[in-house]
Amino acid sequence: MSYKTYFSSHREAQLEELMQWLRIPSISAISAHAEDVQTAASWLADTLRRGGLENVEIMPTGGHPVVYADYIHAPGKPTVLVYGHYDVQPVDPLNLWQTPPFEPQIREGKLYARGATDDKGQVFIHIKAIEAILREEGTLPVNLKLCLEGEEEIGSPHLPEFLETHKDKLSCDAVLVSDTSLLEPGRPAICTGLRGLCSMEVSVQTANTDLHSGTYGGAVPNALHALVELLASLHDADGRVAVDGFYEGVPELSPLMREEFAKQGVEEDKIRDSLGLDALYGEKGYTFVERVGARPTLELNGVYGGFQGEGTKTVIPKEAHAKITCRLVGEQDPQKTLDRIEKHLRDRVQSGARLNVKQIEQAFAFNIDPSHPILQKAADAYGRVYGTRALFTKDGGSIPIMAAFSRMLDAPVVLMGFGLDDENLHAPNEHFNLDNFDKGLLTVVEFLKSL
């Protein structure tokens, strides 16, 4: 039996099984769902055992558990570690869902539910591809390990320590991940870079109380004025970050990488119009896809202070606040980046104002050379199933644990995604296009056999 025939004959049963998993509200960010996360882990462990995997364990961490399994029966062959996550995002706002988020429904070839594409649906592709090979051939062409966590949606706070503690158990020749997207329907992509991340909260205090702008206006510092002046100093007129040393470790784009970006065929006019903008904006000298895929950023995510109610209140606010995040590339160090931004702000704070800075998240960027042989095999596997070879892309988002996998396990990370950008991951009406579920199963089989 061909694998296409196998998956076609098992499709209905497999989708019903996936929907069972999707019904479990494994929201890692909400403590009231801690038991649901555990239930989802138990469901996953049972499914892996039924699929023929061995040494299945639900392994504790400082938070939600990791589900581990393996099948090590191919001496002399590579060992592949499959990583994914079984936790999901919160569902708010609930009123915007067309159908309840944990009552899966198939409509017009799409499976709707929270976690359908991020990441239960994509993890399930690997589970069923592995099961299919074991049933059809009695063994696997490579050694296989699975590390499936329950905290990705809250930043994987306990996974780096887990990786360090269990480094020998998780040792491998490659890490395989499906938590990214195709370029568009029918156009597969392999992500070769994810931006890192760092964040901070900034506040400015002036007087010990809000002041009347008639009695004190023009004679005392205004916290909002002081903060806005600071924030405006963070970029120059060409859209570059003006913080001294910010670009240390940022690689210049090679002609090959620029060629890969150009192959994506992104039409900037369409993006501008779809967003209702008069113009795009960003660092001078780079295209849209280069800016979001391969250049660092410093963004204001929130600025607030003073009176914000209806009408006018003639007040001089005593405090003002901002939330700042940076997307990092190359070898940029998140700690050094935060320290440099803080120094930039402290050196420029207005007389009479006091600055407080709280440094928060830190994650290094992930990068891999697209010419690596295992990525070439992955691109070929897509080509045999989709009829077009995968392009190599850089993703503007961050999956913080990817750099940790690459660094701690000293193994190439292969990001073979089967989602689409418009599938509402993290938003109401999340869904998974079942055409990519079907093709994903075949692609994973092709890839594992090619190794």
Side-chain angles (χ1 to χ4, degrees), residues 7 125-126 129 176 188 190 377-386 390 416-418 435-450:
F7 288 124
I125 284 173
H126 291 279
L176 176 58
I190 295 172
K377 285 182 179 293
D380 290 338
Y382 274 116
R384 288 191 290 274
V385 175
Y386 280 82
M416 293 182 72
F418 298 101
D435 179 60
N436 288 322
F437 174 77
D438 298 332
K439 288 177 176 166
L441 290 164
L442 294 168
T443 304
V444 171
V445 169
E446 287 281 344
F447 176 62
L448 291 177
K449 288 173 71 67
S450 76

Side-chain angles (χ1 to χ4, degrees), residues 13-251:
Q14 289 181 347
L15 288 177
E16 178 51 43
E17 198 173 354
L18 173 56
M19 288 192 280
Q20 291 175 10
W21 200 21
L22 292 169
R23 290 186 185 104
I24 304 171
S26 50
I27 304 171
S28 54
I30 300 176
S31 58
H33 286 281
E35 188 174 331
D36 294 316
V37 178
Q38 184 67 47
T39 300
S42 298
W43 186 97
L44 176 57
D46 290 342
T47 302
L48 294 173
R49 290 188 190 99
R50 288 196 304 272
L53 285 157
E54 301 172 343
N55 302 310
V56 179
E57 298 178 67
I58 298 176
M59 303 182 69
T61 71
H64 301 304
V66 168
V67 178
Y68 173 85
D70 63 33
Y71 193 90
I72 313 294
H73 295 287
K77 303 294 184 182
T79 297
V80 177
L81 175 69
V82 176
Y83 164 80
H85 65 93
Y86 62 88
D87 64 320
V88 300
Q89 281 277 325
V91 298
D92 308 274
L94 190 59
N95 64 299
L96 295 183
W97 286 80
Q98 292 180 21
T99 52
F102 296 110
E103 295 179 17
Q105 276 197 16
I106 295 174
R107 302 195 299 273
E108 298 178 349
K110 301 172 183 178
L111 174 57
Y112 285 82
R114 173 59 87 225
T117 189
D118 184 22
D119 184 36
K120 287 179 179 176
Q122 297 202 57
V123 168
F124 196 72
I125 284 173
H126 291 279
I127 296 170
K128 290 302 163 182
I130 294 162
E131 180 184 285
I133 298 173
L134 284 171
R135 287 186 177 179
E136 289 295 285
E137 304 186 28
T139 190
L140 296 178
V142 294
N143 299 300
L144 206 71
K145 301 176 180 180
L146 288 89
C147 174
L148 307 171
E149 70 155 321
E151 295 190 327
E152 195 274 345
E153 297 294 8
I154 53 173
S156 304
H158 298 101
L159 195 58
E161 181 182 355
F162 182 89
L163 293 179
E164 190 65 46
T165 302
H166 300 285
K167 190 183 297 184
D168 292 340
K169 188 182 188 75
L170 299 173
S171 63
C172 60
D173 298 298
V175 181
L176 176 58
V177 184
S178 293
D179 197 11
T180 50
S181 299
L182 281 69
L183 278 174
E184 58 186 36
R187 294 188 70 201
I190 295 172
C191 178
T192 64
L194 292 159
R195 292 194 285 191
L197 180 72
C198 62
S199 66
M200 61 169 47
E201 293 179 0
V202 175
S203 63
V204 169
Q205 280 81 36
T206 50
N208 56 12
T209 183
D210 289 352
L211 299 170
H212 190 290
S213 68
T215 305
Y216 292 96
V220 297
N222 181 313
L224 274 173
H225 290 186
L227 180 64
V228 169
E229 183 179 290
L230 278 178
L231 299 180
S233 74
L234 291 169
H235 293 85
D236 67 17
D238 289 329
R240 282 178 62 86
V241 177
V243 174
D244 191 34
F246 180 83
Y247 288 93
E248 181 182 295
V250 176

Side-chain angles (χ1 to χ4, degrees), residues 307-327:
F307 178 65
Q308 297 174 54
E310 184 178 356
T312 300
K313 183 181 181 184
T314 53
V315 65
I316 298 173
K318 68 169 186 173
E319 61 185 56
H321 309 266
K323 294 179 182 288
I324 298 172
T325 55
C326 298
R327 299 287 181 171

Side-chain angles (χ1 to χ4, degrees), residues 293-359:
R295 297 299 294 171
T297 67
L298 189 159
E299 298 285 356
L300 307 180
N301 307 121
V303 179
Y304 51 100
F307 178 65
Q308 297 174 54
E310 184 178 356
T312 300
K313 183 181 181 184
T314 53
V315 65
I316 298 173
K318 68 169 186 173
E319 61 185 56
H321 309 266
K323 294 179 182 288
I324 298 172
T325 55
C326 298
R327 299 287 181 171
L328 309 177
V329 302
E331 299 301 319
Q332 279 183 297
D333 185 309
Q335 182 62 63
K336 288 182 179 178
T337 301
L338 289 171
D339 291 343
R340 285 165 173 156
I341 297 169
E342 181 169 342
K343 182 179 186 304
H344 176 98
L345 296 172
R346 292 196 183 283
D347 288 347
R348 290 161 177 78
V349 68
Q350 190 182 96
S351 177
R354 298 181 304 280
L355 179 71
N356 292 306
V357 176
K358 180 183 178 183
Q359 298 184 8

